[in-house]
Every structure is written in C-alpha cells, then in structure tokens.
C-alpha cells in the first residue's frame, strides 16, 4: 500500500518529492517520506503535446520582432533604471529626475519624461484587467426631499479564473507546483502521517474523490483584511482581497518577492450613513457578501464544469477552481460565516461554554442555508438563534461548488496565539500574580543571545506591540516567571508555550499533533489555578476556544505556516499602502489599480528575464560552457552580513569523527581580526583564567607539542564562529546558521559609551559516539566560549581553530516543574573548569537563563547575570529549531 519511492501518477509531476535514495545520509531520519499515491488518474493532460507557456510565447514574439528581453527599454542598464524608478520614485519626482541635464545629456535614455517612461511600462504584458462596478446601497433613511437616500460606491476587482490561469501558467513556479493529492508517512507502516503542504492534507484527497478521473484541483486560498491607508490625518481605508493557490508550495507563497499571491479586488469601505444605527451593521454585512459574490461569480460555473488551463509545465489540464481556505482574523471569520461575534465561526458551541475543551458539532453549510431560507420567509427556526446566525440570506459562498466555508477558516497564529492567547491572556494573568515591577526587573536582567531582543526597560512601558515583540517574549517567558509562581501556574504557562511552538511547525506529523493535543489538555487541566487566585472568573474566551480547531485544520489543509495572517498584512505594504502613496489621494482606488497593474508588468518582466537567463544557462551547460556555480549574491549566505569580520565562504570546515562521518560544519573569518594578543591579556580581558593550564593539557593530549605555553605567548583571535546546522525538517529546507561571539568589554572613550563583553554559551560534543548514535542533546554539554584562536605554528599543527571554554555541569534529567535542564558552572578546586577544544566540537549556540528565585537579586543585569547566578535553565524556547531538537526525538 505504501511506497518509498516517487509514485507513478497518470500525469507528470512538476515537483517530485524526495525518494529514500535522494535523501542525504547526514540529514535527520525524519526526512524520509513514504507516499501513498491517489488511487485514480489525476491532472491528466488534455493533449499529449505541450502548449507554449506565456514566457515561451513572449520569447517567440521577441525573436520574430528582432527585440531583446529588455524591450521596450533600450538596454539592460535602462531596464534597471526603470525598475528602480517604478519602485522608489513618484511620478513628479521621476519627471524632475529625467529632465535634469545630467540625466538628459549623459544617460542617453530612450524616454525623457514621466509620460514617455510610463508609455513604455504600459507596453509591457501585464496580468488580468481590472473592472469597476458601481454598487448602490439603497438605505433606509429619508433625505430633506422625503426620498430614500442611497449610497453609491465602487467595487474594483479582477476575474478570479483569469488570476488562477495567470498563477498556474507562470513558468517561474514550474518546480514548485503540485496537482496531485498525497498521503505521506514517515515510515512504511503508515502509522505516522505527515502534514505540511496542502496536497498532503485530507481536504484535497477527499475533494478529489468527488471529481472525474483526470481532473485537477486549483485550491483557492483567499485572504481579506481591512487596513488604514492615511496616516496622522484622514480616514482613508482599503479592504484588499488576496488570492493564491494551494498548488504552489507554501515556502514560495510566503515569499512576497515571488509574487505567488495576487490582489483580487478592493472591497468598498463605506460609511453607510444612509442607514439607521439599528440597521447599519447588518447592511454592512450584507454589502460585504454581495460584493464578494460579485468578485467570485465566475468560480461557480468553473467549479462545476472545469476550465482548460495551460499549466507551468506546458500541459493543458482540466482545472476545477475550488475555495479551500480563507485567511482572516476572528471578526472577519464571523463576518464570512454569517454568525454573531460571540460565536465560533467553525462550530456550534454555546457562547457560555467556550472555555470547555469538549468539542462541539461543526457548522454545516446545508443546514445553515436551510435555516437562513426559513428565516427569510417568515419562520423563526430555533437553530437561527441557537447557532447565532445573522440574517444574511445570500452569503457569497452559497453557490460555490464543493465549498465548506466553515472548514475553510485556518488558524490565525498572529492574532489567536501570539497576541491573543499569549500576550492578552497568559502574560496579563502572570503580571497580576508577579507584579509589573518584578516582571520588568526579570526581563531587564535576562541574559543575552545573538538575535534575542533585550527588553532594557521591561515590558510594562511598551505601548506598540507587534508579532515580533510577542515572539521575543515567548523565547524567555518561562525562565522569567520560574520561581515567582507556584507549580500549577508554571504548568499552565509551559503548556501554553509548548502549544504555541508545536502549532507553528512547518511540518506536522501524527506525533507532533498528539503532542499539540496533550499541551492543550494540560492547559485546560490546570487553568483553574487562575480562578483560585481570582485572576479570572471564567475562561469563556473565543481565542482559547479556537485552539480546539487547530488539529482538524492541520489534518485537512496542512501545516499552519501556509495560512498565517501575517502574510496578507505584509502584502498590504505593496498592494495598499505603497499604491495609496503613489496616488493623489482623490479617487484613489482607480489610481491604485493602475499603479499596481504597472508594478505587476515590471514583476512579470523580471520573472521572464530570470527564466530566460536560466534557459540560456542550461543551453550553455549542454554545450559544455559551464559557469561558476558559486553565486556571490546568495541571500542565504551567512557571510553576507554587516559584521566587520570578513567571512569567506571558502573558509569553512567539517568536523569528522573517527569513522569519517561529518559531525559539525562551521565558518570563521578569512583572517583573524585580532592578531598578536598575549595570553596575559586573554586572562585579564577575556576572563580566560585557566587558559595556560587548559592549553597545556590540550597540547599534551596531542602528543606533538614542542613547547609549553606561557603568559607571553601571542595568539591570533576570531571574534565569532558561525555554525552551520542541517535543515530542520520541521521548519524548512534551508540551513540554519548559529553565531557564537567572543568579544571583550570595550571601555568608554570620549562621547562613545563602553560596551560589555560578550561570551556566548554553546552546546559542545562531549561524547562523540553518544552524539552520533542518539538524537536530541545526547552526548552534548554546555560551555561558555571565551576565546577562539589559531594555534601558533611553534606549538605544532592543528587542522581547526581552537576555543577556550569553561564547562557547565552535565545535563541530567529535566527539571520536573519547568521541563528545562538545570545546570551550574563546573569547577575544579573552586576554580572554573576550563578546557581548550577544537572548534569542530561546537555544535550550536545555546541560551542560559539564570534562576531568579522568588525575587530577583538586586544588582543583577543582563551583562552580569551569567557570572552572578548560581543555577541556570537551558532554554529550549530560544528558537523553534532548539525546541524541536529537545522535544522531538
């Protein structure tokens, strides 16, 4: 039943999943994917021959017309200027720039003013055309003449079927598209299911069974969110509606620069002053559904009978566009589902029982429509009141084929978890128990870590919160409150944090979903402790109830990261705010759509140029004219940083154990930035008090030393080392880079303030055999890295840089209260237990949090807590990668 290789489908795949043979042996075993293919033909091409994609047609036309890829611009340089002008400069400034003598006389451009520039931009192929429809709200108020007053408004939108064709036919997505549902497992026995991409979820599989053989689904993912346009003054707003497809890999969908999400329309945001206060709200709800119905009208017939579409691989397929997911915040979910805002948009839970972890029956589309029909015709069905339904008699989704709108709502990690569950509830409750001043003092004294935000003034004074601040607090919150609250409170907070971390994994399995469910059960089991302390009277909270639906949503549609509401909020910058700023602020929707159409034309041409370059590169390689594969502009290269160290991609090394298997990969600067530093200075300024005896012991172990070190010896030092971690299958396919810094304190000089010393902690291989044979933290031990140096040649040769570290005690069993490992500094005869090791033994950076106790000691700061605290927590929440390493074996 299950296969461990790429299944043979009845249609060609564009993105083959890795087989067991393709998986690198150094990757974690969880990368294995055993695929159960769909049992019937799926996505069968209508014709055996391929059609030309839009990029191939464009290339053919250019060859015929004798133009190049930059046309209608004269050259690559002129095209680059055009991209810059369109992205960064307004029309008035563009006109001024092009009329400058230096521009006009020296650059020899083919356009000399803004008008001629835009004329060339408008000659570029673009996406689907925009339509404007005037929508009239009849109102229920009379004017001075005694007539009913109405309100006209503009609805701007594009045909969703044309937008789907645009996305599916884009050759840039060829290697990131799938048309076939799959069930994927971690082993051949099929016990542990994998859920990541939408096509691995149950919704696609179940919906495919309802369609004819050979059909392909285009699962629509819609998102809508009202946003403010004007700043400081005015009340200009926009209500964008976005569309993307579940066929496209979520890693591509999440990347704004990939342009895998298109703007479908702008909903009107009227004041509706033509309605009375009593009816205005319901009129607004009905207007929303009417406008959405207009926008999505073409999907009704297309979802029933299918549409032939040219796909990115050139094959023509019968595509059924079906609404699969709707990304929105809680109020908008209630708006879409036609329910009151004190109800759940997914299920029929009683509004007074939302704190109960017992699941309630899901809302049903047919039953809801029948209830609305009965209410419209004068009946008063009990279900209308019990389910909290609004009198919206023609919801936009009523005629969409195969659409269960209530199952379309996806978890909202930003508003439900980070802001709602954590910030608005967990943090607030704990603040009431601990007190603002004590909590602020603990945040101020939190030890540092590369990339960790230090709340230097605490958290009580922060007025503007974003998702970034919420996540930064989560990274240290359990360590902050540990010792100041009792066991049950700590258990509730730990369960909440674990739930948040499991929920944001980019690959879920049956095992992680079971852990997610156990965290929620633990939270509900102990949550009454806040009632005992009179912090809460009940837990009838919508965002806590919503957590019950995470499991079904993940199983149906894949992991949550594919539907995060942060993505549409990021898109507001490109599709709403920047477009509004480019307008004259009057009748701005028309100007915004024109500006966006021009931006889309530029984006498409950029994608075409990238595709054409790849085609030419492939052709050159076939002729044997290969180029250097090392791309110096790789955005994932950790060497591309603002750090003063000159990191060279070639200065990297792998650490091997005795069997020759690579254990650790790291990078250091091309040349040590600190040269000729005496051992005496290392002892005094780097705190390396046991450097001489530690280096002596290391050299004696090597049995190849010529001399013994003394305080006069000089060493070349590195400021940092970058550890390359393998891709974490629960996060992404990208490698993870850890920086470990060793910098002495810098004294103040003139107007410049001094800087504290930074000596990061790391997990180091203590037992190579145990590290290789087991997962998690087995074979590792924590140490503080104080010096990274090259061994002078007169001491002998060594293939790797060395590090002087000071050990902490070995990891024992986790603390039963916090679930974190508790360690302290290791000593020998009341002195630091120092050692010199190869940098090849450094596995990853780690974060230690001092145990603050019931009340934090006076004088503890972020700069000295590692020296003053006696015991430390090894923080698993510092990064999701660390969390999975510790908790998922």
């Amino acid at each position: 039943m299950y296969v461990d290789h790429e299944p043979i489908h009845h249609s060609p795949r564009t993105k083959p999943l890795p087989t067991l043979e393709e998986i690198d042996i150094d990757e974690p075993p969880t990368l294995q994917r055993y695929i159960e293919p769909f049992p019937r033909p799926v996505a069968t091409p209508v014709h055996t021959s391929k059609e030309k994609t839009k990029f191939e047609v464009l290339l053919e036309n250019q060859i015929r017309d004798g133009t190049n890829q930059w046309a209608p611009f004269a050259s690559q340089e002129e095209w680059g200027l055009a991209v810059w002008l369109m992205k960064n400069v307004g029309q008035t400034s563009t006109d001024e720039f092009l009329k400058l003598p230096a521009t006009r006389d020296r650059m020899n451009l083919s356009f000399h003013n803004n008008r001629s520039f835009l004329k060339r931009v408008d000659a570029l192929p673009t996406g689907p055309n925009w339509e404007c429809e005037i929508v009239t709200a009849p109102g229920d108020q009379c004017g001075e003449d005694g007539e009913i007053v109405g309100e006209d408004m503009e609805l701007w939108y594009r045909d969703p079927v044309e937008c789907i064709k645009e996305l599916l036919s884009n050759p840039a997505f060829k290697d990131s598209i799938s048309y076939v549902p799959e069930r994927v497992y971690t082993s051949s026995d099929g016990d542990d299911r994998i859920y990541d991409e939408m096509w691995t979820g149950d919704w696609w599989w179940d919906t495919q069974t309802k369609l004819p053989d050979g059909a392909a689904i285009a699962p629509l993912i819609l998102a809508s969110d009202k946003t403010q346009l004007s700043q400081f003054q005015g009340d200009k707003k926009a209500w964008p509606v976005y569309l993307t497809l579940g066929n496209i890999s979520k890693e591509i969908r999440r990347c704004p620069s990939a342009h895998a999400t298109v703007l479908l329309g702008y909903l009107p945001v009227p004041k509706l002053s033509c309605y009375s206060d009593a009816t205005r709200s319901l009129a607004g709800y009905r207007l929303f559904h009417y406008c959405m119905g207009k926008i999505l009208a073409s999907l009704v017939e297309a979802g029933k009978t299918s549409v032939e579409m040219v796909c990115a691989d050139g094959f023509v397929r019968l595509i059924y566009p079906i609404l699969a997911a709707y990304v929105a915040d809680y109020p908008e979910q209630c708006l879409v589902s036609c329910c009151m805002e004190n109800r759940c948009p997914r299920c029929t839970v009683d509004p007074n029982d939302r704190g109960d972890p017992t699941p309630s029956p899901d809302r049903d589309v047919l039953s809801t429509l029948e209830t609305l029909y009965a209410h419209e015709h004068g009946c008063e069905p009990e279900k209308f009141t019990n389910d909290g339904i609004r009198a919206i008699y023609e919801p936009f989704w009523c005629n969409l084929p195969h659409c269960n709108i209530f199952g379309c709502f996806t978890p909202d990690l930003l508003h439900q978890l980070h802001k709602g569950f954590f910030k608005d509830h967990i943090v607030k409750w704990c603040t009431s128990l601990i007190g603002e001043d004590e909590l602020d003092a603990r945040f101020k004294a939190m030890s540092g870590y590369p990339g960790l935000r230090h709340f230097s003034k605490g958290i009580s004074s922060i007025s503007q919160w974003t998702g970034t601040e919420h996540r930064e607090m989560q990274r240290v919150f359990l360590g902050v409150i540990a010792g100041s609250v009792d066991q049950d409170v700590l258990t509730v907070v730990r369960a909440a944090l674990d739930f948040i971390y499991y929920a944001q994994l980019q690959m879920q399995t049956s095992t992680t979903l079971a852990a997610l469910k156990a965290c929620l059960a633990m939270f509900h089991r102990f949550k009454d402790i806040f009632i005992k302390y009179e912090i809460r009277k009940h837990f009838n909270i919508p965002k806590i109830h919503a957590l019950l639906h995470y499991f079904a949503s993940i199983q149906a549609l894949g992991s949550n990261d594919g539907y995060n509401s942060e993505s549409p909020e990021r898109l507001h910058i490109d599709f709403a705010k920047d477009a509004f700023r480019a307008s004259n602020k009057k009748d701005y929707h028309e100007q915004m759509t024109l500006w966006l159409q021009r931006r889309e034309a530029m984006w498409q041409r950029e994608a075409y140029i990238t595709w054409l370059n790849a085609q030419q590169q492939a052709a050159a390689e076939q002729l044997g004219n290969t180029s250097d594969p090392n791309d110096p502009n790789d955005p994932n290269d950790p060497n591309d940083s603002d750090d003063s160290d000159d990191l060279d991609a070639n200065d990297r090394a792998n650490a091997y154990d005795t069997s020759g298997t690579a254990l650790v990969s790291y990078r250091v600067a091309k040349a040590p930035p600190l040269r000729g530093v005496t051992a005496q200075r290392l002892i005094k300024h780097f705190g390396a008090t046991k450097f001489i005896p530690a280096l002596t012991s290391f050299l004696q172990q090597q049995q190849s030393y010529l001399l013994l070190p003394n305080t006069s010896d000089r060493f070349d030092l590195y400021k940092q080392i970058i550890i390359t971690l393998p891709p974490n299958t629960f996060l992404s396919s990208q490698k993870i880079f850890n920086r470990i810094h060793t910098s002495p304190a810098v004294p103040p000089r003139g107007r410049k303030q001094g800087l504290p010393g930074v000596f990061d902690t790391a997990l180091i291989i203590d037992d190579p055999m145990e590290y290789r044979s087991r997962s998690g933290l087995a074979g590792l031990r924590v140490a503080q890295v104080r010096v990274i140096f090259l061994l002078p040649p007169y001491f002998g040769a060594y293939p790797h840089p060395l590090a002087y570290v000071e050990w902490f005690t070995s990891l024992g069993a986790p603390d039963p209260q916090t679930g974190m490992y508790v360690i302290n500094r290791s000593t020998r005869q009341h002195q630091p237990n120092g050692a010199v090791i190869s940098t090849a033994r450094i596995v990853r950076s780690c974060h230690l949090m001092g145990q603050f106790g019931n009340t934090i000691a006076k004088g503890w700061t972020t700069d000295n807590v590692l020296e003053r605290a006696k015991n430390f927590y090894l923080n698993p929440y510092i990064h999701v990668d660390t969390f999975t390493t510790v908790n998922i074996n």
Side-chain angles (χ1 to χ4, degrees), residues 510-820:
S510 302
T511 301
T512 61
L513 287 181
L516 187 71
K517 190 170 292 187
C519 294
L520 187 59
M522 185 68 69
F523 170 82
H524 281 289
R525 179 182 174 187
F526 288 94
K527 68 180 186 294
D528 287 345
I529 188 65
F530 292 106
I531 295 179
K532 174 184 174 182
Y533 286 118
E534 299 182 349
I535 303 298
R536 292 290 305 177
K537 294 182 178 179
H538 62 81
F539 293 92
N540 186 27
I541 301 171
K543 291 174 181 176
I544 291 181
H545 167 77
L547 307 184
L548 288 172
H549 297 299
Y550 278 41
F551 316 104
S553 178
I554 292 171
Q555 289 173 327
L557 299 172
S559 56
N560 292 329
D561 62 298
Y563 316 98
N564 197 344
S565 61
E566 287 182 276
S567 295
E569 291 200 2
R570 167 60 184 82
L571 293 172
H572 286 341
I573 298 174
D574 291 332
F575 292 116
K577 300 182 187 297
D578 285 351
F580 177 73
R581 283 192 285 268
S583 72
N584 63 8
K585 316 302 186 291
K586 298 177 181 179
D587 297 326
Y588 51 87
H589 278 119
E590 181 178 9
Q591 298 173 58
M592 289 167 67
T593 55
L594 177 59
W595 184 84
L596 286 168
Q597 194 152 13
R598 287 168 173 163
R599 287 296 304 274
E600 277 190 348
M602 303 290 279
W603 292 337
Q604 288 195 17
R605 179 52 60 94
E606 285 181 307
Y608 166 72
I609 291 171
T610 301
W611 171 84
L612 184 60
N613 290 338
Q615 299 294 111
Q616 294 172 345
Q617 175 72 16
E621 289 178 354
Q622 287 183 353
L623 295 175
N625 183 19
T626 58
S627 61
D628 186 0
N630 295 320
D631 183 3
N633 298 316
D634 183 4
N636 296 317
D637 191 345
N639 297 328
D640 187 14
S641 72
D642 295 329
D643 196 287
S644 60
D645 290 356
D646 181 17
L647 297 176
D648 191 329
N650 295 320
D651 292 331
R652 65 186 72 183
N654 289 316
Y656 295 88
D657 66 0
T658 54
S659 67
T661 302
L663 293 178
V664 178
S665 178
Y666 67 86
R667 298 182 184 184
V668 292
K670 185 175 183 179
L674 301 177
R675 294 181 175 274
V677 181
T678 64
Q680 183 63 37
R681 187 182 170 195
L682 297 181
I683 296 171
K684 181 177 180 180
H685 296 287
F686 287 75
T689 56
K690 296 298 177 182
F691 180 79
I692 297 298
L695 181 56
T696 300
S697 176
F698 176 83
L699 293 174
Q700 289 172 344
Q701 292 174 8
Q702 301 305 307
Q703 297 180 352
S704 60
Y705 64 94
L706 302 176
L707 299 171
L708 290 179
N710 60 65
T711 55
S712 300
D713 288 317
R714 295 179 177 271
F715 300 87
D716 295 340
L717 311 184
Y718 296 98
K719 292 182 180 180
Q720 65 174 342
I721 183 173
I722 298 178
I723 307 298
T724 305
L725 303 179
N728 186 326
T729 183
F730 293 100
L731 299 183
S732 73
S733 59
Q734 302 297 320
K735 292 183 178 180
I736 301 171
F737 301 99
N738 272 184
R739 291 180 184 266
I740 298 171
H741 299 91
T742 59
S743 301
V746 178
R749 180 179 299 175
R751 297 174 57 190
K752 293 185 178 180
Q753 295 182 349
L755 297 175
V758 177
F759 302 101
D760 292 330
T761 52
L763 285 165
I764 295 172
I765 298 175
D766 193 36
D767 186 335
M769 294 303 296
E770 187 177 13
Y771 174 71
R772 286 190 62 249
S773 61
R774 297 173 59 190
S775 57
L777 303 182
L780 300 180
R781 187 175 176 182
V782 177
Q784 186 174 27
V785 183
R786 290 197 172 271
V787 184
I788 303 172
F789 64 99
L790 287 177
L791 187 68
Y794 55 79
F795 285 125
Y798 196 77
H800 302 284
L802 303 177
Y804 169 78
V805 303
E806 292 179 349
W807 293 108
F808 288 77
T809 53
S810 300
L811 302 177
D815 173 42
Q817 292 188 351
T818 62
M820 297 186 287

Side-chain angles (χ1 to χ4, degrees), residues 324-550:
Y326 201 113
V327 180
D329 58 17
Y330 176 75
E332 202 148 325
Q333 288 182 3
C334 294
L335 170 62
V336 172
S337 64
C338 306
C339 75
M340 304 289 185
E341 288 194 13
N342 67 338
R343 305 301 179 105
C344 174
R346 287 188 60 118
C347 73
T348 57
V349 64
D350 187 277
N352 297 318
D353 294 336
R354 287 175 294 181
D356 190 340
T358 305
S360 299
D362 291 335
R363 292 183 181 270
D364 179 73
V365 171
L366 181 60
S367 175
T368 300
L369 293 177
E370 290 175 347
T371 303
L372 285 169
Y373 180 84
H375 189 271
E376 181 183 16
H377 290 79
C379 300
E380 294 294 335
E382 184 178 344
K383 186 177 179 62
F384 186 86
T385 303
N386 291 345
D387 290 357
I389 300 175
R390 292 189 185 275
I392 304 168
Y393 301 125
E394 293 187 26
F396 73 83
W397 39 263
C398 62
N399 295 317
L400 294 179
H402 310 292
C403 174
N404 173 15
I405 192 63
F406 308 116
C408 288
F409 299 125
T410 57
D412 183 356
L413 297 181
L414 175 61
H415 298 100
Q416 288 174 353
L417 282 187
H418 300 309
K419 182 182 183 300
F421 186 39
F422 178 71
K423 167 61 174 59
D424 293 344
H425 299 302
I426 297 295
V427 174
K428 183 179 179 181
W429 301 341
C430 291
T431 303
S432 299
L433 287 173
I434 301 171
E436 279 190 358
D437 291 343
E438 177 66 19
L439 197 63
D440 283 344
R442 289 166 175 257
F443 271 106
K444 292 176 186 178
M446 179 53 60
S447 55
Y449 179 84
L452 175 67
R453 171 171 176 175
H454 176 225
F455 293 93
S456 58
K457 297 181 180 180
I459 62 171
S460 61
S461 61
I462 298 178
S463 58
Q464 187 68 33
W465 288 93
T466 67
T468 300
E469 279 82 22
H470 302 148
R471 283 187 286 267
E472 291 298 303
M473 288 174 59
Q474 291 164 13
R475 299 173 74 181
V476 298
F477 194 71
L478 193 63
V480 165
I481 68 169
S484 62
V485 296
D486 69 18
Q487 171 62 40
D488 287 353
V489 173
L490 211 57
T491 300
V492 171
V493 174
R494 177 186 169 192
L497 286 172
D498 285 355
F499 185 95
I500 292 170
Y501 273 67
Y502 277 116
Q504 58 188 311
L505 297 183
Q506 297 179 21
M507 187 192 81
Q508 299 281 0
T509 66
S510 302
T511 301
T512 61
L513 287 181
L516 187 71
K517 190 170 292 187
C519 294
L520 187 59
M522 185 68 69
F523 170 82
H524 281 289
R525 179 182 174 187
F526 288 94
K527 68 180 186 294
D528 287 345
I529 188 65
F530 292 106
I531 295 179
K532 174 184 174 182
Y533 286 118
E534 299 182 349
I535 303 298
R536 292 290 305 177
K537 294 182 178 179
H538 62 81
F539 293 92
N540 186 27
I541 301 171
K543 291 174 181 176
I544 291 181
H545 167 77
L547 307 184
L548 288 172
H549 297 299
Y550 278 41

Side-chain angles (χ1 to χ4, degrees), residues 134-139 149-153 269-275:
I134 303 299
V135 178
T136 301
V149 177
E151 183 175 347
D152 292 338
M153 60 208 79
V269 189
K271 296 184 181 299
L272 294 179
S273 55
C274 57
Y275 288 91

Side-chain angles (χ1 to χ4, degrees), residues 86-203:
M86 197 68 198
K87 181 179 180 181
N88 300 293
V89 184
Q91 295 190 33
T92 301
S93 299
T94 297
D95 213 35
E96 294 174 354
F97 172 78
L98 294 176
K99 290 180 180 179
L100 289 173
T103 306
R104 185 180 61 247
D105 299 336
R106 297 182 183 180
M107 298 186 71
N108 194 28
L109 300 174
S110 63
F111 49 89
H112 302 291
N113 53 43
N114 185 64
R115 183 180 178 184
S116 60
F117 167 63
L118 293 180
K119 187 175 180 180
R120 281 165 172 72
V121 174
D122 291 338
L124 294 170
T126 186
N129 293 325
W130 283 90
E131 299 179 33
C132 178
E133 184 169 329
I134 303 299
V135 178
T136 301
D140 60 6
Q141 299 292 294
C142 294
E144 295 179 356
D145 57 0
E147 298 292 327
I148 295 293
V149 177
E151 183 175 347
D152 292 338
M153 60 208 79
E154 293 180 347
L155 171 64
W156 287 87
Y157 67 97
R158 300 194 280 188
D159 186 345
V161 173
E162 294 302 314
C163 291
I164 295 167
K165 289 180 179 179
E166 188 75 19
L167 288 171
L168 283 181
S169 64
N170 192 337
F173 302 143
K174 178 182 177 181
D175 297 327
S176 304
I177 286 183
S178 178
Y179 308 97
V180 183
E182 297 170 342
R183 288 174 177 165
V184 186
Y185 303 88
T186 61
S187 61
S188 58
D189 56 21
D191 291 336
D192 199 23
R193 178 90 175 266
I194 292 176
Y195 303 93
D196 46 18
E197 300 288 356
M198 181 182 277
W199 57 79
T200 65
D202 292 332
W203 176 87

